[in-house]
Amino acid sequence: MTARAADRARYDRATVALDAPFALVDLDAFDANAADLVRRAQGKPVRVASKSVRCRALLERVLAKEGFRGIMSFTLAESLWLARSGFDDVLLAYPSVDRAGYAELASDPKAAAAVTVMVDDVAQLDLIDAARQGGREVVRVCLELDTSLQLLGGRVRVGARRSPLHSPAQLAELARAVARRPGFRLVGIMAYEGHVAGVGDALAGRPVRSRAIRLMQAAARRELAERRGAAVRAVRAVVPELEFVNGGGTGSVQYTAAEDAVTEIAAGSGLYVPRLFDNYTSFRGRPAALFALPVVRRPGVGVVTVLGGGYPASGAAGRDRLPEPYLPEGLRYDPQEGAGEVQTPLLGSPADDLLIGDKVWFRHAKAGELCERFDVLHLLEGDTVTATVPTYRGEGHTFL
């Protein structure tokens, strides 16, 4: 029996009393993945990206482990909710225009002490000031450095279009604007190298492209390490008491941790290890988050139909954004139908061994987006489901 077949048998035994569809997190794999992130971070604390988890119980579980500290959130409303729930170190990783949220932040001492907001433009400071509604709490601020690799005088760009602040001088200029503005305190810098951390470099059947990606990423790491160090020095000249410099992502933890300028690492997807992380040479994780769909039809030889399945991930549309039929091994989508809104036909010889009511196990393409489809996660330890916990959705929150 292969390791994957053994996992399937274990999942089926543990969930025999559960009716699919449902989502499952294998805590043995989750904990092993957490330990691997800490190992690769080389002593620097790992800040957990909540968008990749979207479950308070699992955020609490991982933050209780040595080597993890703080949350990286994705909306201001989520940040405030987490602060009200007792999380005391929340870095909002994206600029917000949530005026009601800023009014609450500026009037709540506990929230203002716990939440740090992201800015990359003076206009964002203006918006926060206009939204205060009399609130006088000092707003903690983090600046984001654009990490993209720019070649040929900027005519060629590799990396996400995020912050407009690319040079150390631009970052320092905004740092001075924050430092002289009442009601704000600059406490951190973030620089997320998504073109390194979030792009696989071992694409199946595409060796030439894989090598090109590895060469690009090596060049990007060298360029960014030098520029990020210069940017941190420039900002510290303005604000010597800077609290943190955040960088990295699941796919680049060990490289970013090696930079002296970086004080903490961001990661989250590496806890669940969705299918997009199968194409990396930098680490190997264990799939921890899965969802099960029930077989509801057997249309013919080599075909079964499962209920649901059309759960594509965000990003540029493509086959790599679809969930992967994972267990039993050997199933594939019908190219004429793909993953369906209500039902999904699956092809392959393993279909002939599946009966009505059997489960097919899938892996989502990205991490936390799976939780937008399910109200609860069933937590598996060994051969037993030991707890069922709500996702953000199950607690009544869909922040995006």
Side-chain angles (χ1 to χ4, degrees):
M1 181 182 290
T2 67
R4 279 175 59 172
D7 280 340
R8 181 195 174 201
R10 183 163 61 94
Y11 299 153
D12 283 346
R13 284 196 304 271
T15 63
V16 66
L18 297 177
D19 288 332
F22 61 79
L24 178 91
V25 172
D26 183 340
L27 290 179
D28 296 338
F30 181 92
D31 291 344
N33 293 333
D36 185 64
L37 287 172
V38 170
R39 176 188 63 80
R40 291 197 287 137
Q42 304 169 48
K44 294 184 177 178
V46 178
R47 184 180 290 274
V48 183
S50 63
K51 75 177 181 64
S52 300
V53 180
R54 303 194 199 204
C55 171
R56 279 200 303 165
L58 290 178
L59 288 172
E60 291 168 353
R61 182 183 183 91
V62 72
L63 286 171
K65 297 178 182 295
E66 185 175 354
F68 289 87
R69 186 178 69 202
I71 291 175
M72 177 176 282
S73 59
F74 58 96
T75 74
L76 182 54
E78 180 213 12
S79 306
L80 294 168
W81 176 64
L82 291 172
R84 291 193 298 269
S85 300
F87 296 95
D88 60 4
D89 182 2
V90 182
L91 169 61
L92 174 56
Y94 308 88
S96 175
V97 293
D98 179 355
R99 291 175 174 82
Y102 283 129
E104 179 179 345
L105 180 67
S107 61
D108 184 338
K110 178 181 176 182
V115 175
T116 302
V117 304
M118 191 67 59
V119 301
D120 56 32
D121 193 308
V122 171
Q124 295 155 354
L125 301 176
D126 294 339
L127 186 145
I128 295 170
D129 268 338
R132 286 178 180 269
Q133 296 183 6
R136 300 191 178 200
E137 295 299 323
V138 172
V139 175
R140 292 167 54 86
V141 168
C142 178
L143 306 183
E144 181 171 5
L145 176 69
D146 170 46
T147 65
S148 65
L149 176 63
Q150 298 188 10
L151 306 171
L152 302 177
R155 292 190 295 275
V156 176
R157 175 194 180 101
V158 181
R161 297 184 181 277
R162 293 175 64 108
S163 171
L165 307 175
H166 186 77
S167 70
Q170 289 174 311
L171 205 68
E173 181 180 359
L174 185 56
R176 285 189 288 271
V178 175
R180 61 176 174 255
R181 189 156 183 158
F184 296 91
R185 183 165 75 253
L186 178 57
V187 298
I189 297 172
M190 187 185 84
Y192 169 59
E193 57 271 29
H195 51 304
V196 178
V199 177
D201 62 350
L203 307 179
R206 306 182 72 179
V208 174
R209 179 169 176 79
S210 296
R211 176 168 172 74
I213 290 173
R214 287 194 289 273
L215 290 172
M216 175 278 291
Q217 290 178 336
R221 289 196 302 268
R222 290 192 297 269
E223 185 275 339
L224 179 59
E226 180 177 346
R227 182 161 52 88
R228 179 155 44 196
V232 172
R233 290 191 295 273
V235 173
R236 285 194 185 278
V238 180
V239 184
E241 65 275 17
L242 206 64
E243 294 178 14
F244 64 86
V245 177
N246 181 282
T250 289
S252 65
V253 170
Q254 62 268 42
Y255 303 117
T256 310
E259 295 182 32
D260 291 338
V262 175
T263 66
E264 64 175 37
I265 309 300
S269 296
L271 296 168
Y272 287 165
V273 185
R275 64 169 294 207
L276 283 179
F277 285 94
D278 290 347
N279 301 323
Y280 283 73
T281 58
S282 60
F283 81 105
R284 285 287 182 270
R286 292 172 55 184
L290 306 99
F291 64 93
L293 300 181
V295 174
V296 293
R297 287 176 170 165
R298 291 169 48 89
V301 175
V303 187
V304 291
T305 301
V306 295
L307 183 68
Y311 309 155
S314 60
R319 294 183 62 182
D320 65 341
R321 301 291 145 168
L322 295 178
E324 174 194 27
Y326 183 59
L327 298 170
E329 298 180 66
L331 293 173
R332 64 186 187 278
Y333 291 115
D334 182 334
Q336 302 301 314
E337 298 195 46
E341 178 185 5
V342 176
Q343 65 174 30
T344 298
L346 298 171
L347 312 180
S349 58
D352 294 329
D353 296 323
L354 292 170
L355 304 177
I356 299 295
D358 282 352
K359 300 178 180 75
V360 175
W361 295 89
F362 289 73
R363 292 171 65 201
H364 204 271
K366 295 183 74 174
E369 293 180 19
L370 167 66
C371 294
E372 298 299 331
R373 297 286 181 170
F374 295 94
D375 291 343
V376 300
L377 299 173
H378 299 286
L379 305 183
L380 175 70
E381 295 184 77
D383 289 337
T384 306
V385 172
T386 57
T388 298
V389 296
T391 60
Y392 279 12
R393 170 177 165 164
E395 295 199 69
H397 296 289
T398 51
F399 294 108
L400 279 180

